[in-house]
Amino acid sequence: MTEIPEHLLKRSRERKAAGGDASSSEVSASTPATTAAAPVAKVVAETPIKAAVSKPVPAYVKAAKTRGRIPSWAMATLALMPIFLFMYVRGLQPQKAEASGPIALGIENYGACASCHGADGAGGAGRVLKDGESLKTFPHIEDMLNWVYGGTEAYEAAGVASYGDPDREGGAHYPRSYNGSAMPAQGAMAGGALTEYEILGLICHIRYDISGADEAGEWAEEYEKWCSAESEIFLGLEDGSLTFDSPELGVGTAPRLGTTANAAIMTEG
Ligand code: HEC
């Protein structure tokens, strides 16, 4: 008989009490080694390993293993954070060139005209502006600027018979020929509330967005000169180095007859 050390017997009893692997524990505890050499060797060999495996993981190790680990999929997102931050800050800054271009300004101010001409230029108390109507009346943008600056009463007071193209398809437009009412003056010196560069912005918006002028085709030259974001005329009106009365512009603030599509605008300089 092999003597089984007391501490092993004790451990076996404990394990049995705890509901462990009862049969194998019993074998190691009570079966003589001569009759069951193999199982005993197996059990003895397994016992320390089993003990090591079932040994409870201390709470602080568990905590360290599970604490605040960043999952690998989130790392990719985190790595992009500086870029997102950069884009966000950039987005907060106003896009200068865009916001100060004539058409952007015109879109911003169009409410001053929409009450009479409609949000889409379909007309109402004021004439129709969309579907090329404004382009037919004013084949030259200079004549449209002059008309909007002064409005109906200035033309009447100056005794100018018609505004825009005198050969307009369907007949020239003359003051109060629409529904008898007047188009209010818009330019500051004529009693209106708009600056000259604001009037240019509105007229660019009406011609290119509402009336449908093609900035890349037939109207490309006018667009570049008057309505593009780089328009030197717009910038000059804005900084005061040019006015509608600057002779090289051919606009003028005094009411005058318009020009036909084929006629050249009179300019000096
Ligand atoms: C109170 C109403 C009213 C407001 C506001 C108004 N208009 Fe007019 N608009 C008219 C009337 C009425 C006519 C026709 C004038 C006439 O027959 O004498 C007209 C005519 C015009 C025409 C000529 C159209 C054509 O083909 O004959 C243009 C261009 C125009 N308006 C632009 C503008 C712009 C730009 C604004 C805003 C800055 C504006 N209007 C604000 C009432 C208005």
Side-chain angles (χ1 to χ4, degrees):
M1 281 293 279
T2 318
E3 275 292 332
I4 295 171
E6 185 55 34
H7 72 275
L8 282 182
L9 285 172
K10 187 167 170 259
R11 193 190 286 166
S12 172
R13 276 195 299 274
E14 277 170 9
R15 212 183 291 127
K16 205 171 169 185
D21 189 351
S23 57
S24 60
S25 307
E26 224 153 38
V27 166
S28 67
S30 59
T31 311
T34 45
T35 54
V40 168
K42 194 171 168 245
V43 167
V44 169
E46 269 176 25
T47 303
I49 298 167
K50 273 194 178 171
V53 167
S54 61
K55 201 174 153 203
V57 180
Y60 63 88
V61 174
K62 240 187 214 167
K65 281 183 174 165
T66 53
R67 183 193 306 133
R69 283 263 207 77
I70 299 161
S72 57
W73 56 262
M75 283 305 289
T77 315
L78 278 174
L80 291 174
M81 280 304 278
I83 297 170
F84 290 154
L85 193 69
F86 176 71
M87 284 163 67
Y88 176 72
V89 170
R90 255 181 69 109
L92 290 178
Q93 279 149 15
Q95 300 288 300
K96 265 235 154 180
E98 272 272 301
S100 62
I103 290 184
L105 188 65
I107 292 170
E108 211 173 285
N109 289 334
Y110 185 69
C113 322
S115 51
C116 292
H117 290 283
D120 61 350
R127 277 190 183 270
V128 177
L129 303 176
K130 66 174 194 171
D131 297 334
E133 286 297 309
S134 291
L135 305 174
K136 283 181 198 159
T137 309
F138 305 101
H140 297 286
I141 192 173
E142 293 89 337
D143 293 337
M144 189 166 172
L145 291 161
N146 181 285
W147 161 256
V148 171
Y149 188 94
T152 304
E153 285 171 10
Y155 270 64
E156 285 176 330
V160 178
S162 67
Y163 63 87
D165 185 354
D167 289 343
R168 192 197 195 283
E169 192 184 304
H173 286 179
Y174 51 90
R176 292 187 203 269
S177 63
Y178 173 56
N179 56 6
S181 51
M183 157 80 184
Q186 301 297 324
M189 302 291 280
L194 298 172
T195 64
E196 294 178 4
Y197 67 88
E198 286 170 336
I199 292 174
L200 175 58
L202 282 163
I203 286 177
C204 288
H205 171 52
I206 291 169
R207 290 174 80 81
Y208 290 92
D209 296 334
I210 293 176
S211 217
D214 176 8
E215 65 195 54
E218 193 190 341
W219 299 93
E221 206 179 306
E222 176 193 287
Y223 178 81
E224 275 308 308
K225 186 176 172 189
W226 296 88
C227 296
S228 68
E230 300 79 37
S231 163
E232 283 177 18
I233 293 174
F234 176 74
L235 296 172
L237 292 171
E238 202 178 19
D239 70 20
S241 60
L242 289 171
T243 74
F244 281 5
D245 284 322
S246 299
E248 66 268 36
L249 295 192
V251 175
T253 53
R256 57 171 175 74
L257 279 173
T259 43
T260 60
N262 298 323
I265 287 282
M266 299 294 288
T267 60
E268 297 167 35

